[in-house]
Amino acid sequence: MMNASPGRLAAGAATVTVMLWASAFVSIRSAGAAYSPGALALGRLLAGALTLGSICLVRREGWPPRDAWRGIAVSGLLWFGFYMVALNWGEQRVDAGTAALVVNVGPLLIALLGSRLLGDPMPPRLLAGMVVSFAGAVTVGLSMSGAGRSSVLGVTLCLLAAVGYAAGVVAQKPALGRASALQVTTFGCLVGAVACLPFAGRLVHEAAAAPWPATLNMVYLGVFPTALAFTTWAYALARTTASRMGATTYAVPALVVLMSWLALGEVPGLLTLAGGVLCLAGVAVSRSRPRTARTATAQREPEQVA
């Protein structure tokens, strides 16, 4: 029986993350009609923390090592906390496609910060894939942005969310070398929830009046795009570079278009579909390896037979 290689497991985890994060853009738009940005972020983080905490108890995961806490705290504040509030606020002013486009400036920032702070390599294939995917993301966003639908404030908030996302990923990477993916995700989520506690009053008030589909969307955001997807992200990030993982998320805008089409009945045009194809093509290029690397991997495969 052939065991799955770490690279394939990481690719599978990254795929789960991308699918669930894409669905989050649609759910945020739905829940945002009943919940304010801070209350939605807190409700999502509480649902995520409860799910992750239960898994930690079952698996008997202990506290992360002391030297991992700096990265956990920074990623919790910037990514779990600040990013979610800013994105929720931004999506109340721009459509999901535009939000996905602007937030996907983040991988470029991750690549730059990762190269500067973590020493991540910048191979030609990664750079080429990022260029292709960014072109596709721009095409998707422009095709979905009708006249008057975007606002300067909404775009600015999504840009700030992208900055928080990128900084959080770069801070998280060293912590994953000292603690497990589940530990880093769980305690990062807890840090973000604590940071959002000032919105607790709004959450209680709005939950009492919110329709149940909006509340279900909030719980869904906490259990799947947060608890599950952030854990699979951390698992994959621990096994590759921050730059390569960031490039993977360029597939999100294309998937947002498809999910909006299926869930909201928004039929994408030819330009949108072309942009989606470019996004996926760029991800394939960025995650591909030279022929020599593939040959070396194939030669090692027989050693992985159980």
Side-chain angles (χ1 to χ4, degrees):
M1 179 178 179
M2 187 74 70
N3 291 329
S5 67
R8 290 176 181 175
L9 290 174
T15 300
V16 172
T17 299
V18 167
M19 293 291 293
L20 291 177
W21 281 357
S23 72
F25 283 89
V26 178
S27 291
I28 288 171
R29 289 281 289 175
S30 298
Y35 288 96
S36 59
L40 179 57
L42 177 59
R44 173 181 179 176
L45 289 167
L46 289 176
L50 180 61
T51 303
L52 289 165
S54 300
I55 296 173
C56 280
L57 289 175
V58 172
R59 291 177 57 88
R60 297 184 179 179
E61 292 273 349
W63 287 78
R66 179 180 297 181
D67 53 0
W69 269 103
R70 180 178 178 181
I72 292 173
V74 173
S75 65
L77 288 171
L78 294 180
W79 195 5
F80 288 86
F82 176 80
Y83 164 82
M84 290 189 183
V85 176
L87 178 61
N88 293 345
W89 195 359
E91 280 210 60
Q92 291 187 348
R93 288 160 174 77
V94 298
D95 56 83
T98 300
L101 161 67
V102 176
V103 169
N104 268 273
V105 174
L108 293 175
L109 300 177
I110 290 172
L112 295 174
L113 290 174
S115 178
R116 178 73 175 175
L117 302 177
L118 303 178
D120 286 352
M122 294 286 285
R125 287 173 182 264
L126 176 59
L127 290 173
M130 290 173 64
V131 171
V132 173
S133 289
F134 186 72
V138 169
T139 303
V140 170
L142 292 178
S143 68
M144 293 187 67
S145 300
R149 294 179 64 186
S150 299
S151 70
V152 174
L153 177 59
V155 171
T156 301
L157 288 166
C158 290
L159 280 173
L160 290 174
V163 172
Y165 155 49
V169 169
V170 174
Q172 187 186 64
K173 175 63 175 175
L176 289 167
R178 300 170 175 86
S180 69
L182 182 57
Q183 287 175 322
V184 172
T185 305
T186 300
F187 288 92
C189 188
L190 284 171
V191 169
V194 170
C196 291
L197 282 178
F199 302 109
R202 295 290 299 273
L203 175 60
V204 172
H205 176 74
E206 292 170 4
W212 65 266
T215 301
L216 286 180
N217 266 303
M218 182 174 65
V219 174
Y220 169 82
L221 286 167
V223 175
F224 293 99
T226 303
L228 177 56
F230 273 74
T231 302
T232 53
W233 164 275
Y235 174 88
L237 180 60
R239 289 157 178 80
T240 186
T241 65
S243 301
R244 191 173 294 277
M245 276 301 294
T248 303
T249 62
Y250 272 124
V252 169
L255 294 172
V256 170
V257 172
L258 177 61
M259 291 177 181
S260 297
W261 180 14
L262 295 175
L264 306 177
E266 298 175 351
V267 180
L270 292 178
L271 184 60
T272 301
L273 293 176
V277 171
L278 280 176
C279 288
L280 296 174
V283 172
V285 171
S286 69
R287 296 196 63 89
S288 66
R289 292 175 294 178
R291 182 182 299 272
T292 55
R294 292 198 299 269
T295 302
T297 301
Q299 291 173 348
R300 290 195 300 268
E301 284 291 337
E303 300 175 2
Q304 297 172 354
V305 177

